[in-house]
Amino acid sequence: MASSSKPARHAFASTLKSFKTASGKAGQLYSLPALARQFPQVNRLPVSIRIVLESVLRNCDGRKVTAEHVQQLAQWAPQAARKDEIPFVVSRVVLQDFTGVPLLADLAAMRSVAAKLGKNPKKIEPLVPVDLVVDHSIMVDHYGQKNSLDLNMKLEFQRNRERYEFMKWGMQAFDTFGVVPPGFGIVHQVNLEYLARGVHKRKEGYASAKAGALPVYYPDTLVGTDSHTTMINGIGVVGWGVGGIEAEAAMLGQPVYLLTPDVVGMELTGQLREGVTATDLVLTVTEILRQHKVVGKFVEFFGEGTRTLALPDRATIGNMAPEYGATMGFFPVDERTIEYFKGTGRTKSEIEAFEAYFRAQGLFGVPLAGEVDYSQVVKLDLGQVTPSLAGPKRPQDRIELGKVAGQFADLFSKSNADNGFNRPADLLHTRFHIHRRDEVVVGATPDGKPTPMGAPRFVAEMEANKPALATAREEASAATLPARGADPTVGNGDVLIAAITSCTNTSNPSVLLAAGLLAKKAVEAGLKVQPHIKTSLAPGSRIVTEYLTETGLLPYLEKLGFALAGYGCTTCIGNAGDLTPELNEAITSNDLVCAAVLSGNRNFEARIHPNLKANFLASPPLVVAYAIAGTVLRDLMTEPVGQGKGGKDIYLGDIWPSSDEIHRLMKFAMKGKAFRENYAKVATDPGKLWKKIKGVAGTTYTWPASTYIAEPPFFANFALEKGAASAEGVGATGQNGQITVQGARIMALFGDSITTDHISPAGSIKASSPAGQWLLQHGVQKADFNSYGARRGNHDVMVRGTFANVRIKNLMIAPTADGSREEGGVTVFQNEGPLRGEKMFIFDAAMQYMAQETPTVVFAGEEYGTGSSRDWAAKGTQLLGIKAVVARSFERIHRSNLVGMGVLPLQFKGGDSWQSLGLTGAEVIDVLPDAALTPQSDATLVIHREDGTRQQVVVTLRIDTPIEVDYYRAGGILPFVLRQLLSGA
């Protein structure tokens, strides 16, 4: 019997080889060059595929990962049919707090189930390191003042105390779960600067290894619960964003399963021109790759131009892989990567092991043309990139800087169907007074100056927002801000939020130093920012503040209102905080199309602020420039940015920094000692506010009463026997193994580009919404609603906010007389009875349908589910009783998450759509998939119309892999994994 516990011999044991670092330290690796002796094609595989292959090779245990898996991937061919799935075992998992908290709640619920079944709760334990970075919670309530950061963090801790207590419980309950507390930075930048180690090592686990054998080294790989996890691709780390549902499975020992991907090689040639930033480059890359339809594919950058890019520029491009639709935007390891590791404070031994490992594997260096086989090659001459923005509604809609004003004016009167705002053209330049409430005094500083009221009650006095800039009113242009004593005005195209924010750019010293230099030149020229524009600086790391201070640039940013507001996603995730009541009233009562300009990666409708319809992505220096201009209706290539001293016109070229000026300051940004000292404080000095947080102790959570954290319902009917938690009650109904959806009503008919921002609860909670009403009924005052993101640990709040976005358009609702569509999460109830034909919130309709045991389905167009990797977009869909989503195409993560929650994703074939089928929402739908749920097989939609006619339509079942069939039949991925853990399978 003793021999049964002896590890089996590795199927490719001969590939275990030794290597040495530059200082002579020895280790072992599973050698890809050795594997290439058996499979010669390995030497020409894309670098990203080879790194995935190493994981498959190293983890080949004959069970979850078989020799056949190794053989299949080793023989990857650029143009082959993609039908094989890869079981990819990652080295670690990274979380941000919005997605991390519900994931932790699921783990806690699993432990509760284990305890109820008499099993050891400790069986539920992450098997790989898990790091949660708290970066999504801070909101920009205070801004434009030197103490904004302190005030915002105090509010953050007040609002999120219950969540942070729960995290503290997780830290002590799980051995492999760590937390980077609030105030250190954005998860992706912290990942780049601190969490990523380059290579990991472990003791050899196979019988062939003798006592005292050398450790086995392997590459850093990961998945993260944020789609922008791909920023890590910039340092040669294979990783991407997954939903919390998939991440949970990866933490608990499940491989991440993916179809063998195509790999698109993007060859970069030439060099960026003077005045062109990494942001301009990534917006161009995003536009090009979107056009080449790289959804679900790896993109790998190669060529001479790629070799010229600094590491932060590569990370910027990797970050926006979700925006161009790719699984990854990967850059191989080379000398630039080593330089970055040195500059960010990694140890000498780490860097030596990292470089020696990649050289021994034949993975060091950016390939040149012809050295690697790709499925497709896309080319870009860096010299052709021009200054750009993207918007006003999607990140792939790039606009050259000189065309922004014209594009906005054109879209102003275009129809919603044409991505426009559907407003009369003659109203474009109409302006309205903002009626100030001068009688409201909300507090004062020691010198007697008024200070803004922070949310919970929001700012009530506009002029108090920026006391340091109060004199700007006297010198500002009369066309944009009246003289002191008169009410200022607001109009279409006005920039009301200007934010240097988001992981995309705040990891990049070149664009942040450029913003600081532009601010310096602007202040010296006498330019100012109008006091009512909400300006903020939210860096991705404390290091940013350090080098902006050391270079003397921070005071100039502060003078223009870009004071430090927080270390977190802030505006880009929807945490911009509110505008003043006066501005909100002026916008809504006059249906104005006002703008935000941010250095972010997401600008979907209602994401930045529910009342700002136009949102533009831009580089940090352009954010500052547009804050000064105050409008997107000014052409910054030909018109003045503003008037400086003596009323002199100041143009963008007058204040734009040169590349030499930026380069001279770069030495302040990459200092290894500063990075080491900063991140040492995660353990030694996490901050007084964090130290005050006390969590409950013990291996299982006690679930105290809370409107933030509640035991999730996903294991309510769980039983240990296999098959007990089948798809019944979760997905479709099962009869003799046949999965069907019978007699379903249509919950919604959606158009193209319905994002997870539309589906998943995000942003502020309206008091009149179902979620707001639930909170009020549970004793929560409106001032303390916080955001949906902060309440992701409570399913009662989240399900009420699913499909509740204020900009979502359910096309079941008839258009108005002018052709526009009603916005908001409403539907028409269709079951027989007194409520038939009544318009109501989607949540309310879902409760009615579920009470009547009627399943529901959703129809949509192209790119359904693009956006952040939000598990609640799938969880909320399931809890609303929606059994299937039928769309023209799906975003990768959301499709996978739907399956993981027991919801059938179905895809129209050819030119079919719900529009071509003439659906109105009154039909009854049956869904008849293949009995075996064969991946990507045909399924039949049966449409029963009101006139008694019946139509059948063939669609594709988007359950893509065999493991997804198992997940679906088990009732979802979570019951599947829990059953395995508790049964010892």
Side-chain angles (χ1 to χ4, degrees), residues 237-356:
V237 173
V238 165
W240 54 81
V242 296
I245 303 158
E246 263 188 288
E248 208 164 322
M251 284 167 40
L252 296 172
Q254 287 291 304
V256 175
Y257 291 92
L258 69 152
L259 275 180
T260 305
D262 286 348
V263 182
V264 176
M266 189 163 199
E267 182 182 4
L268 302 182
T269 59
Q271 287 187 300
L272 293 175
R273 293 183 295 166
E274 179 70 26
V276 175
T277 68
T279 313
D280 304 320
L281 172 57
V282 74
L283 295 179
T284 303
V285 167
T286 299
E287 178 187 42
I288 291 171
L289 290 176
R290 266 288 170 190
Q291 292 168 354
H292 282 85
K293 299 188 183 301
V294 297
V295 173
K297 301 176 183 179
F298 288 6
V299 171
E300 183 167 305
F301 293 85
F302 71 101
E304 289 285 4
T306 300
R307 291 182 172 185
T308 70
L309 293 179
L311 200 292
D313 293 354
R314 299 177 184 186
T316 299
I317 295 170
N319 177 284
M320 285 188 73
E323 279 65 53
Y324 43 87
T327 303
M328 285 200 301
F330 181 81
F331 290 80
V333 171
D334 67 355
E335 290 82 2
R336 299 270 185 160
T337 323
I338 303 301
E339 289 172 13
Y340 184 78
F341 268 51
K342 290 176 181 176
T344 49
R346 269 67 170 203
T347 65
K348 182 180 177 182
S349 61
E350 281 181 311
I351 295 169
E352 277 193 356
F354 178 41
E355 182 172 0

Side-chain angles (χ1 to χ4, degrees), residues 3-270:
S3 63
S4 65
S5 60
K6 191 175 182 179
R9 178 176 172 78
H10 195 290
F12 296 90
S14 63
T15 62
L16 187 62
K17 304 293 183 181
S18 61
F19 73 103
K20 286 189 176 181
T21 68
S23 59
K25 191 173 182 180
Q28 294 184 100
L29 52 75
Y30 279 89
S31 171
L32 295 174
L35 186 67
R37 296 189 194 112
Q38 185 176 350
F39 304 103
Q41 173 61 19
V42 166
N43 291 326
R44 291 193 60 83
L45 295 182
V47 175
S48 52
I49 290 289
R50 278 184 265 173
I51 292 175
V52 176
L53 175 60
E54 186 281 337
S55 171
V56 177
L57 172 65
R58 173 169 39 88
N59 291 287
C60 181
D61 59 3
R63 294 167 60 229
K64 288 178 181 172
V65 184
T66 66
E68 185 181 11
H69 287 127
V70 177
Q71 294 163 10
Q72 287 170 348
L73 191 55
Q75 296 177 90
W76 180 92
Q79 306 300 331
R82 303 305 180 200
K83 61 183 190 308
D84 299 322
E85 66 177 359
I86 304 170
F88 180 39
V89 178
V90 297
S91 305
R92 60 189 177 94
V93 173
V94 67
L95 318 171
Q96 42 92 333
D97 54 308
F98 273 11
T99 48
V101 166
L103 184 148
L104 183 60
D106 287 344
L107 289 180
M110 287 184 176
R111 282 200 166 179
S112 295
V113 170
K116 290 171 186 173
L117 294 174
K119 301 287 185 177
N120 180 6
K122 288 291 284 182
K123 280 193 172 186
I124 312 300
E125 178 74 42
L127 300 179
V128 297
V130 179
D131 293 288
L132 187 156
V133 181
V134 184
D135 70 338
H136 278 47
S137 296
I138 193 161
M139 300 178 74
V140 185
D141 295 307
H142 296 268
Y143 64 99
Q145 304 173 98
K146 288 189 177 182
N147 63 344
S148 295
L149 172 67
D150 180 56
L151 295 171
N152 287 333
M153 285 195 68
K154 285 177 178 175
L155 279 171
E156 176 189 3
F157 274 81
Q158 289 171 18
R159 292 170 175 148
N160 295 283
R161 178 182 56 81
E162 293 173 37
R163 299 170 68 242
Y164 294 168
E165 288 172 349
F166 185 49
M167 290 180 201
K168 281 279 183 89
W169 168 80
M171 289 174 70
Q172 61 83 45
F174 297 98
D175 297 332
T176 52
F177 180 84
V179 175
V180 177
F184 277 89
I186 296 174
V187 57
H188 311 305
Q189 191 161 346
V190 172
N191 198 14
L192 274 173
E193 296 176 352
Y194 173 56
L195 298 177
R197 309 320 303 171
V199 290
H200 301 263
K201 64 181 178 180
R202 63 166 168 79
K203 292 180 180 178
E204 175 52 32
Y206 291 97
S208 59
K210 57 190 177 183
L214 297 171
V216 170
Y217 285 78
Y218 54 98
D220 187 19
T221 58
L222 74 152
V223 290
T225 56
D226 189 302
S227 46
H228 297 102
T229 299
T230 50
M231 178 171 256
I232 205 68
N233 301 158
I235 58 172
V237 173
V238 165
W240 54 81
V242 296
I245 303 158
E246 263 188 288
E248 208 164 322
M251 284 167 40
L252 296 172
Q254 287 291 304
V256 175
Y257 291 92
L258 69 152
L259 275 180
T260 305
D262 286 348
V263 182
V264 176
M266 189 163 199
E267 182 182 4
L268 302 182
T269 59

Side-chain angles (χ1 to χ4, degrees), residues 248-538:
E248 208 164 322
M251 284 167 40
L252 296 172
Q254 287 291 304
V256 175
Y257 291 92
L258 69 152
L259 275 180
T260 305
D262 286 348
V263 182
V264 176
M266 189 163 199
E267 182 182 4
L268 302 182
T269 59
Q271 287 187 300
L272 293 175
R273 293 183 295 166
E274 179 70 26
V276 175
T277 68
T279 313
D280 304 320
L281 172 57
V282 74
L283 295 179
T284 303
V285 167
T286 299
E287 178 187 42
I288 291 171
L289 290 176
R290 266 288 170 190
Q291 292 168 354
H292 282 85
K293 299 188 183 301
V294 297
V295 173
K297 301 176 183 179
F298 288 6
V299 171
E300 183 167 305
F301 293 85
F302 71 101
E304 289 285 4
T306 300
R307 291 182 172 185
T308 70
L309 293 179
L311 200 292
D313 293 354
R314 299 177 184 186
T316 299
I317 295 170
N319 177 284
M320 285 188 73
E323 279 65 53
Y324 43 87
T327 303
M328 285 200 301
F330 181 81
F331 290 80
V333 171
D334 67 355
E335 290 82 2
R336 299 270 185 160
T337 323
I338 303 301
E339 289 172 13
Y340 184 78
F341 268 51
K342 290 176 181 176
T344 49
R346 269 67 170 203
T347 65
K348 182 180 177 182
S349 61
E350 281 181 311
I351 295 169
E352 277 193 356
F354 178 41
E355 182 172 0
Y357 176 89
F358 274 82
R359 288 189 183 278
Q361 288 283 37
L363 297 173
F364 192 88
V366 173
L368 296 176
E371 294 180 355
V372 167
D373 296 327
Y374 294 109
S375 307
Q376 174 189 359
V377 172
V378 178
K379 296 184 179 183
L380 171 64
D381 177 359
L382 297 179
Q384 300 302 309
V385 178
T386 59
S388 306
L389 285 79
K393 297 180 181 181
R394 300 188 307 178
Q396 65 263 37
D397 295 335
R398 186 182 68 89
I399 315 171
E400 290 187 9
L401 178 58
K403 298 179 180 178
V404 172
Q407 178 79 335
F408 180 86
D410 189 40
L411 290 173
F412 181 73
S413 57
K414 277 193 172 180
S415 68
N416 296 137
D418 292 326
N419 212 29
F421 298 106
N422 202 37
R423 301 288 293 133
D426 58 356
L427 295 181
L428 176 61
H429 297 288
T430 306
R431 303 195 63 80
F432 299 89
H433 286 288
I434 309 167
H435 299 292
R436 291 192 295 231
R437 302 179 185 179
D438 293 327
E439 73 281 0
V440 180
V441 178
V442 296
T445 59
D447 61 0
K449 292 181 179 179
T451 59
M453 195 192 299
R457 295 198 305 276
F458 300 129
V459 179
E461 164 58 348
M462 183 178 64
E463 295 305 322
N465 282 330
K466 297 179 183 178
L469 296 177
T471 57
R473 292 192 302 273
E474 299 173 3
E475 300 176 14
S477 164
T480 54
L481 190 67
R484 188 178 181 89
D487 288 339
T489 64
V490 63
N492 297 298
D494 280 13
V495 173
L496 298 182
I497 289 178
I500 300 175
T501 177
S502 165
C503 48
T504 314
N505 292 285
T506 56
S507 68
N508 196 321
S510 66
V511 290
L512 285 164
L513 290 168
L517 286 165
L518 186 143
K520 180 175 185 292
K521 292 171 183 279
V523 169
E524 289 171 346
L527 294 172
K528 296 178 173 66
V529 174
Q530 296 175 37
H532 69 281
I533 297 175
K534 191 166 192 177
T535 46
S536 61
L537 170 64

